[in-house]
Amino acid sequence: SKPLGTRFAIFVLSDGLYLVQGFTEDRNLLADAVDFKNPRPHVPRIFMYAENYQAYFSTPRALIKIARFLADFPGHKNIIWLSASFPSAVLPSSGPGVESLSSNDEIKEATDTLARGQIAVYPVDVRGVVVTHVMARPENGAMATTTDSPALNASYMTEQEIAHATGGRAFYSTNDVATALIEATEISGHYYTLTYSPSNQNYSGQLRHIHVELN
């Protein structure tokens, strides 16, 4: 149901990043790319059923690769990012003596690269409405409860962070993925671009606070 005249390309992230279908307006070619019965290049069958085993490949790095691919296309571009497994900005460690792994630097590098390429990201979380679990376990002779909701909330926050930083919108905790796709396509068709030429030539890499007023 994509709008007429809208060009899409399809990437798949598994053991690496693959371009399954290049940019096309042809709905049939796009439908064939997600049909695992199609003899031409298509999304693997396992993607339609469950999260499959894959060698570790950084998701922000995948976004950077896509951004570099899109950089040579003129004008505004959008990435509709469908996944059931979004990274968290901070990944906890199972070892009590080992510090948590932070991917904040990678996420910032990804959002900077996307912004330079005029690319907005629309994360679509295909897990739907997730029910978190409360678990009880003995701790120091008493029963203590834990929950997996912090990990889920951290994932949602990353989706929001990347969408907000690039001018997109995150869709999560909804079972209506089709409507999310339609809204992402429609919203992304309306945008404006601001440019900024700094007078301060000290490029230290630090954030600068810019105030913009509109009538």
Side-chain angles (χ1 to χ4, degrees), residues 137-144:
R137 65 183 182 188
E139 190 173 291
N140 298 326
M143 293 299 291

Side-chain angles (χ1 to χ4, degrees), residues 32-101:
D32 287 346
V34 295
D35 181 4
F36 54 79
K37 298 177 182 177
N38 181 48
R40 295 193 295 274
H42 56 266
V43 176
R45 178 190 294 264
I46 190 65
F47 269 69
M48 304 300 178
Y49 295 106
E51 184 177 354
N52 54 307
Y53 168 78
Q54 60 183 52
Y56 176 72
F57 193 99
S58 163
T59 305
R61 288 288 161 197
L63 291 174
I64 291 170
K65 284 180 175 287
I66 295 174
R68 288 172 178 167
F69 172 84
L70 296 175
D72 293 333
F73 291 88
H76 184 82
K77 284 86 59 175
N78 305 294
I79 295 175
I80 300 177
W81 175 18
L82 294 96
S83 180
S85 178
F86 288 87
S88 298
V90 178
L91 304 177
S93 169
S94 59
V98 181
E99 290 187 359
S100 300
L101 172 66

Side-chain angles (χ1 to χ4, degrees), residues 152-167:
L152 181 66
N153 290 333
S155 176
Y156 289 163
M157 288 175 64
T158 302
E159 296 171 47
Q160 285 184 312
E161 177 184 349
I162 293 175
H164 179 75
T166 59

